[in-house]
Amino acid sequence: MTVAFEAPRLVDAVDVARAALVAEGEQPGAHTGARAEGDYAATHYFDAELPGYRGWQWCVVVAGAPDSAEVTVSEVALLPGGGALLAPDWVPWVERIAPGDLGPGDQLAAPADDPRLVPGQIDTEDVSLIDADEIGQVDAEIGLGRRRLLSFEGRTDAAQRWFDGEYGPASAMARNARHSCGTCGFYLPIAGALHSGFGVCANEFAADGRAVSVEYGCGAHSDVTEPSGAGSPAYDAFDDGAIEIVAQAVSGAADA
């Protein structure tokens, strides 16, 4: 008996819900629907005609006691509708930061448990087998080295990133180059375990100062030969020093 009486009465209480919004200083739009929330409550929805809130709606919850004819307002809220403009999902800064975001004066701390780094006293085998005079990381064991060093995982990640990046063998520049960096006089191999795979370009007109793959290449290789300057082999050189005498010009000069 209560259900048959209370729910329809609350669903029909459109004027009460609208008055609650007006009392809050709002100007609700058209009533878009109502829904019973059990036996003693109902929710009413109105278009929210607010600048910047396209697709949002006002939500007003009304209630009524079974032994009273009074309808009261329980809650008023502004909620997004199906086509509402919403802010993107929040993403922690550590997942948002991207290469190039760091600017002058900014500080970016590596997490204490960063898998790319290990304590300085751990030997990560970052020793070049080519440069026999390198002492590796022995200096760290006696307190002279860096506090943290690249782990094997961190070194592998960097190598893969460089290999797949703009200065790797798969880039458009490398695919159209005749020579590779490994045979270039401007190529400076880096020290450590990545010695055989990467170096730094010292050509100011090419990838100057960049870490490049030994398989990368560009058109500024040290073995590129200069143009001969012999001109086009298909046509004879044009002599622009020849003087052409025009009869009309000579006649005009005589008349003058």
Side-chain angles (χ1 to χ4, degrees), residues 178-200:
R178 296 184 178 182
H179 309 284
S180 64
C181 287
T183 59
C184 182
F186 295 106
Y187 178 77
L188 299 173
I190 63 176
L194 300 183
H195 179 100
S196 60
F198 300 93
V200 176

Side-chain angles (χ1 to χ4, degrees), residues 105-193:
D106 293 341
Q107 293 186 343
L108 179 62
D113 58 349
D114 194 326
R116 301 171 300 172
L117 297 169
V118 293
Q121 67 271 19
I122 296 179
D123 184 8
T124 63
E125 300 180 359
D126 187 15
V127 177
S128 171
L129 300 179
I130 297 177
D131 295 334
D133 58 343
E134 288 189 7
I135 61 173
Q137 298 167 17
V138 177
D139 56 350
E141 299 183 2
I142 58 177
L144 300 178
R146 293 165 287 166
R147 293 181 58 186
R148 303 174 78 182
L149 302 170
L150 271 180
S151 64
F152 176 79
E153 180 179 348
R155 191 166 63 243
T156 301
D157 287 347
Q160 191 65 56
R161 190 169 60 250
W162 296 347
F163 188 85
D164 296 337
E166 181 181 356
Y167 301 102
S171 65
M173 180 72 78
R175 291 198 306 269
N176 288 276
R178 296 184 178 182
H179 309 284
S180 64
C181 287
T183 59
C184 182
F186 295 106
Y187 178 77
L188 299 173
I190 63 176

Side-chain angles (χ1 to χ4, degrees), residues 227-256:
S228 64
S232 173
Y235 303 97
D236 294 331
F238 177 74
D239 185 3
D240 59 0
I243 300 176
E244 181 180 2
I245 300 176
V246 181
Q248 183 179 0
V250 174
S251 175
D255 295 339

Side-chain angles (χ1 to χ4, degrees), residues 32-122:
T32 58
R35 182 180 63 189
E37 307 288 354
D39 298 343
Y40 309 114
T43 303
H44 291 266
Y45 298 95
F46 300 86
D47 286 336
E49 299 177 349
L50 296 174
Y53 285 85
R54 187 180 67 189
W56 286 63
Q57 58 187 350
W58 287 110
C59 172
V60 181
V61 180
V62 297
D67 55 352
S68 173
E70 182 182 6
V71 176
T72 60
V73 176
S74 300
E75 184 178 6
V76 174
L78 182 62
L79 301 177
L85 292 175
L86 301 175
D89 293 337
W90 183 81
V91 179
W93 73 267
V94 72
E95 299 177 19
R96 292 197 309 269
I97 194 157
D101 288 348
L102 194 64
D106 293 341
Q107 293 186 343
L108 179 62
D113 58 349
D114 194 326
R116 301 171 300 172
L117 297 169
V118 293
Q121 67 271 19
I122 296 179

